[in-house]
Amino acid sequence: MDMSPELTSGDGDQLLRKAMTVLLTNWRGNSTVPSRGLYPHQWSWDSAFIALGLQHCFPRRAAIELLSLCGGQWLDGRIPHIVFNPAVSDEAYFPGPSFWRSAAQDGSPPVATSGIVQPPVHAHAAAALTRRLGVRAQSFAERIYPRLVAQSGYLRQRRTVLDRGNLAAVVHPWETGLDNSPAWDAPLHAVPADLGLFNTYTRQDLAHAGAGERPTDEDYARYIRLALAYRDHHYDDDWVRAEGEFLVLDPAFNALWAWSELALADLAGHVGTDPTPHRTEARRITDAMVEELWSEQHSIFHARDARTGQALDERTVAGLLPLILPDLPDSVVSGLISTLTGEAFRAQDETIHGVPSFDLTDPRYDAQRYWRGPTWLNTTWLLINGLQAHGHHELARKLTDDIGRLTERAGLREYFNPTTGSGHGTDDFSWSAALLIDSIASLASHRRE
């Protein structure tokens, strides 16, 4: 086992062993499931976060994780949000392979996948891993780089909305990763909720988590309707941009796209390719986000309904995540820090654990329901990276400590109550384990410095 010395001693040793056990247990030979029960396949952005943890202890396995995901890439460049394990029954997860029907679509891969995408954090994971692979770095970079360039090209060519700064649109709430965030309420609730769909389809998630922690039946019916429409139009992005019922510009998705371009610039150096176009693209996306999505009044990025042009003015963690971008104007960075530490998120407050996913002062805030209030380790981790990039090291350290305290108290849960620290959703959650490992490594590195 190839393990960095920084992970083998110190106060985090017991937590570290637990996190590594979760990743070992959830490994399925060429990828890691998010959890053994609720999520029995390979998820796109989960695998990127998982690789960020695996890089510290099992770097070759981290490489397999990312390359396996890319095995599900479509010819148009999309990396789907799920790559299905053929050894798992179709009924184990809904919507499963028979719902998405990827095999019937032109340009689909030889493995069964979904037809939608998730936020592009993979290039950052690949760049971080490349710095740890030693003599294997060149070979890995040469294999992964063209796949990730194609992923970015798909977003640019097939998902951008021309009159909105060429930002990428998401066509389903699942594509955001923040599935039922209150930011999607207005455009999502304009979609009819046909509860009769449950005469045909059965939710599997409620067998693994309480109904009070998951999306409502009405919203789930809308998710099904949107996915069916996209599928039945053969995942045609021209159709969905013109006629789809849900078309949203998400600040988190676009920020991660820009961040991905910066990581591609790093990878370009390993393969002997000019990094300049990637840096130029990152700057273009960043500038377009500031122009189209930044709210000077509320000091946060707002999502925008690309169909109506309406700003979706909920204050959610998605609106803070552009902090990861290094080229934001100073005034925007100052505004984001003010919002992050203000009444809506209270990130500096010792009584708040991590960064809540939704405005603590909003009447719709729910500390236990999926993305409508709970703290998630991946978004907290992303904000730690943003804080460090802009020199806010004290707050970054507090949030890093929060990751350790939450997992020590509640276990490696899917998400957490920001005020009580209790754990919710599924247990032994892989990205929680992986990002805990990365956080322990980060703290150990800072101690040495």
Side-chain angles (χ1 to χ4, degrees):
M1 181 171 62
D2 183 2
M3 182 186 295
S4 301
E6 66 211 35
L7 297 180
T8 58
S9 62
D11 296 338
D13 188 56
Q14 185 174 354
L15 273 175
L16 172 65
R17 289 197 299 271
K18 183 176 181 180
M20 290 177 63
T21 297
V22 167
L23 294 183
L24 288 168
T25 304
N26 289 352
W27 176 250
R28 292 295 179 268
N30 63 356
S31 66
T32 309
V33 296
S35 71
R36 294 188 297 280
L38 180 54
Y39 305 108
H41 300 284
Q42 184 177 24
W43 260 258
S44 176
W45 77 327
D46 292 69
S47 278
F49 291 122
I50 289 163
L52 285 161
L54 288 174
Q55 65 167 321
H56 298 288
C57 43
F58 309 108
R60 283 191 288 178
R61 185 170 288 187
I64 294 169
E65 182 84 38
L66 294 173
L67 291 168
S68 172
L69 179 68
C70 289
Q73 188 168 31
W74 291 39
L75 288 181
D76 61 12
R78 82 181 76 192
I79 293 179
H81 97 295
I82 304 174
V83 176
F84 291 105
N85 182 347
V88 175
S89 71
D90 189 73
E91 295 77 22
Y93 178 80
F94 175 78
S98 65
F99 176 93
W100 294 102
R101 301 179 186 172
S102 64
Q105 313 305 323
D106 291 340
S108 64
V111 295
T113 76
S114 66
I116 60 176
V117 299
Q118 275 192 321
V121 290
H122 315 85
H124 179 81
L129 177 58
T130 299
R131 292 190 287 270
R132 289 188 168 272
L133 279 174
V135 296
R136 303 184 187 94
Q138 181 75 17
S139 174
F140 172 72
E142 289 174 350
R143 294 180 67 186
I144 200 78
Y145 175 75
R147 297 283 198 165
L148 298 175
V149 169
Q151 177 192 38
S152 186
Y154 167 76
L155 298 178
R156 183 168 53 255
Q157 296 159 18
R158 305 300 298 154
R159 287 299 190 87
T160 53
V161 179
L162 299 181
D163 60 348
R164 293 293 174 189
N166 281 339
L167 294 175
V170 292
V171 302
H172 195 291
W174 287 338
E175 292 198 314
T176 70
L178 284 64
D179 299 6
N180 69 326
S181 168
W184 322 138
D185 283 358
L188 184 64
H189 291 177
V191 177
D194 179 8
L195 296 181
L197 287 167
F198 295 117
N199 295 327
T200 303
Y201 303 110
T202 301
R203 294 181 63 172
Q204 298 294 338
D205 59 317
L206 297 181
H208 302 277
E213 298 184 357
R214 301 292 298 175
T216 65
D217 277 348
E218 288 78 8
D219 283 346
Y220 218 94
R222 296 179 175 106
Y223 300 156
I224 296 171
R225 176 187 173 96
L226 291 170
L228 285 172
Y230 193 31
R231 182 200 73 186
D232 292 346
H233 285 86
H234 306 288
Y235 303 109
D236 181 353
D237 291 311
D238 288 334
W239 172 82
V240 80
R241 283 183 295 183
E243 300 184 38
E245 293 179 299
F246 185 93
L247 193 72
V248 168
L249 303 177
D250 172 21
F253 192 101
N254 280 281
L256 292 168
W257 180 22
W259 202 43
S260 176
E261 287 288 351
L262 293 173
L264 286 173
D266 287 346
L267 286 169
H270 287 275
V271 299
T273 300
D274 182 8
T276 304
H278 296 301
R279 295 186 182 122
T280 300
E281 181 71 348
R283 186 57 193 251
R284 181 196 67 77
I285 299 167
T286 300
D287 291 345
M289 288 181 59
V290 173
E291 177 68 23
E292 288 289 332
L293 306 182
W294 174 246
S295 170
E296 191 73 36
Q297 178 184 358
H298 299 116
S299 294
I300 198 169
F301 286 88
H302 288 316
R304 186 176 295 275
D305 187 332
R307 187 70 67 228
T308 66
Q310 177 186 357
L312 308 173
D313 60 6
E314 287 82 1
R315 293 189 290 188
T316 76
V317 71
L320 299 172
L321 289 183
L323 191 63
I324 61 175
L325 299 175
D327 293 329
L328 288 176
D330 290 344
S331 60
V332 173
V333 173
S334 297
L336 288 172
I337 297 298
S338 176
T339 301
L340 178 61
T341 57
E343 62 175 359
F345 297 96
R346 293 166 51 194
Q348 87 296 349
D349 190 333
E350 292 296 335
T351 67
I352 298 296
H353 308 283
V355 181
S357 51
F358 185 46
D359 183 349
L360 292 162
T361 69
D362 193 290
R364 291 170 293 175
Y365 167 80
D366 186 333
Q368 297 184 184
R369 192 179 291 276
Y370 206 64
W371 289 112
R372 300 185 76 85
T375 286
W376 292 70
L377 296 196
N378 66 328
T379 48
T380 298
W381 180 90
L382 287 166
L383 284 168
I384 290 167
N385 278 263
L387 289 164
Q388 291 170 337
H390 293 285
H392 293 269
H393 300 295
E394 183 176 351
L395 182 53
R397 175 60 185 264
K398 184 266 181 186
L399 294 179
T400 304
D401 288 342
D402 282 353
I403 288 177
R405 284 191 289 263
L406 281 169
T407 52
E408 184 175 28
R409 175 186 302 178
L412 294 164
R413 301 298 295 271
E414 189 176 3
Y415 45 92
F416 304 84
N417 185 312
T419 53
T420 69
S422 58
H424 298 276
T426 190
D427 202 357
D428 292 342
F429 194 63
S430 290
W431 87 31
S432 294
L435 296 178
L436 172 62
I437 291 171
D438 188 75
S439 298
I440 292 171
S442 176
L443 288 172
S445 176
H446 290 154
R447 281 197 299 269
R448 288 197 304 272
E449 294 172 359

